[in-house]
Amino acid sequence: MKIQKTIGRLLILWALMLTTMTAFASRPDTLDINGNLRPALADEARPADEARPADEARPADEARPADEACPADVDTTEVLPAVMPRRELLSVKTNLLMDVAYVPGYDRWCPMPNIAVEYYPLYGHFTFGASFDMPWWRDYDAHKYFQVRNYQIETRYYLRSGSIDPGDKPGERPAFRGFYLQAYGHIGLFGICFDADRGWVGEGAGGGLGLGYVLPLSRRGHWRLEFGAQFGYFACKYDPYQFENPIDPNYHDQLYYYKWTQEPSLFRKRQYRWSWVGPTRVGITLTYDLLYRRIQKRGASFKSTEERRTAL
C-alpha cells in the first residue's frame, strides 16, 4: 500500500511538473539584468511591431480628425447662398450744400440743382466720375439772374483698394470707401446779375486737386455720405452788362446792354479776364448705388441682389 501511495504521489507530481513546463513554454520569458527569469511584456513579444499608441498601430492609417479620415469623401464644392449680393457698378450723387445754397449778392436762398455719377472698376484704387451743375434762377422784376452751367470730370484714387480680396463675396461691403485723393477739370458758362447795374456773362475753365472721405450709411453701403473739398485754378472771359442803354440814360427800351461806351465797331465779346487760385468747391454729398454688376453673366442691373442659378 505504501508503494502504491508513493507511486501515486510521484505521478501527481510529474503531472504538475508537465503542466508547469507547458505553461512556461507558451510564454516568451526573458532574463533580467540579474539573470532571473521574467515574463516578456506584451509590446516586446514581436520586436518588428514595436509598441505604439492605438492610433499608430498601422502607419498607413495614421490617426486624423474625423473630418479628414476619408479625404475622398470630403465635399470641397463651394456652396453659394440662394440670394447673392451684387457688386456696385455706378452710383448717382448730389451735393447737399449746393441743394440748399444761399448766394451772397443774390440775397436769397438759391438751390443749385446738381447731379454726379461715379463708375467703380472691379479692381484697383481708381474710380471715374462726372458732374453737372445747373442753377437757372431768374427774377425779371428785381433784375436778378443766377444762371450757371458747369461740367466737370474727375478721377479719384482711394487709399483703400476696391479689389475683391480672396474669400470676399461681391457686394459684401462697399468696394470704395474711406479717404481718397482727386484730380478734376471743369468748364462752364454763366450769366449772373445782382441788380440793374451789375451783371456779368461769360465762360470759364479750370482744374485742380481735391481730397475727401466716403462714409457708408447702410449695412451694405449702398447709401453713402461724402465729405470733400477741391482746390485749384479757375480762369474766365466775361463781359459786364446792365439794364438799359449805358450811353443815353434817357433812352428806355427795357433791354440789357453790354457796358461799352466807345465806338460800337470796336466792341469785341469777352474782352475782360478774371482768374482765381484757391478753394473751388466744398461738398457734403449723398451717394446711392444705381447700377450693379451681374454675377452669373455679363451686364448690369438695377437690383442689388441676384438669385443663384448654378454653382460658381
Side-chain angles (χ1 to χ4, degrees), residues 98-145:
M98 297 179 67
D99 291 332
V100 295
Y102 178 86
V103 180
Y106 200 74
D107 298 330
R108 64 189 65 186
W109 293 102
C110 183
M112 303 179 189
N114 66 96
I115 187 172
V117 296
E118 186 173 3
Y119 167 75
Y120 304 102
L122 199 55
Y123 305 101
H125 294 262
F126 287 94
T127 65
F128 307 93
S131 63
F132 176 48
D133 309 325
M134 46 187 169
W136 205 256
W137 299 101
R138 295 172 292 185
D139 186 340
Y140 295 106
D141 296 333
H143 306 290
K144 291 181 178 293
Y145 304 95

Side-chain angles (χ1 to χ4, degrees), residues 38-232:
R38 66 177 179 86
L41 299 177
D43 57 353
E44 294 179 352
R46 296 181 181 179
D49 296 333
E50 294 183 358
R52 56 175 58 87
D55 58 352
E56 295 182 4
R58 295 182 180 179
D61 295 328
E62 293 183 353
R64 55 177 59 88
D67 57 348
E68 297 181 5
C70 300
D73 296 335
V74 177
D75 185 7
T76 59
T77 304
E78 181 181 6
V79 179
L80 296 178
V83 178
M84 300 177 291
R86 288 171 170 161
R87 178 78 174 266
E88 62 271 25
L89 174 65
L90 186 75
S91 68
V92 293
K93 55 185 74 177
T94 183
N95 188 338
L96 300 179
L97 294 184
M98 297 179 67
D99 291 332
V100 295
Y102 178 86
V103 180
Y106 200 74
D107 298 330
R108 64 189 65 186
W109 293 102
C110 183
M112 303 179 189
N114 66 96
I115 187 172
V117 296
E118 186 173 3
Y119 167 75
Y120 304 102
L122 199 55
Y123 305 101
H125 294 262
F126 287 94
T127 65
F128 307 93
S131 63
F132 176 48
D133 309 325
M134 46 187 169
W136 205 256
W137 299 101
R138 295 172 292 185
D139 186 340
Y140 295 106
D141 296 333
H143 306 290
K144 291 181 178 293
Y145 304 95
F146 192 77
Q147 301 170 322
V148 176
R149 293 289 185 269
N150 184 59
Y151 308 86
Q152 176 173 300
I153 58 173
E154 66 178 54
T155 181
R156 292 182 177 182
Y157 178 87
Y158 285 83
L159 301 187
R160 182 169 187 164
S161 173
S163 301
I164 298 179
D165 298 327
D168 284 353
K169 299 293 188 304
E172 284 188 340
R173 58 181 176 82
F176 295 91
R177 65 191 191 277
F179 289 101
Y180 66 85
L181 302 176
Q182 175 190 45
Y184 73 92
H186 68 104
I187 59 173
L189 55 90
F190 58 88
I192 301 172
C193 187
F194 291 155
D195 53 46
D197 193 53
R198 295 184 301 162
W200 305 268
V201 60
E203 301 83 29
L209 301 174
L211 55 87
Y213 184 84
V214 177
L215 175 68
L217 296 179
S218 59
R219 182 172 61 89
R220 289 180 175 169
H222 300 316
W223 288 94
R224 298 183 290 279
L225 200 62
E226 301 180 8
F227 305 88
Q230 297 177 355
F231 306 86

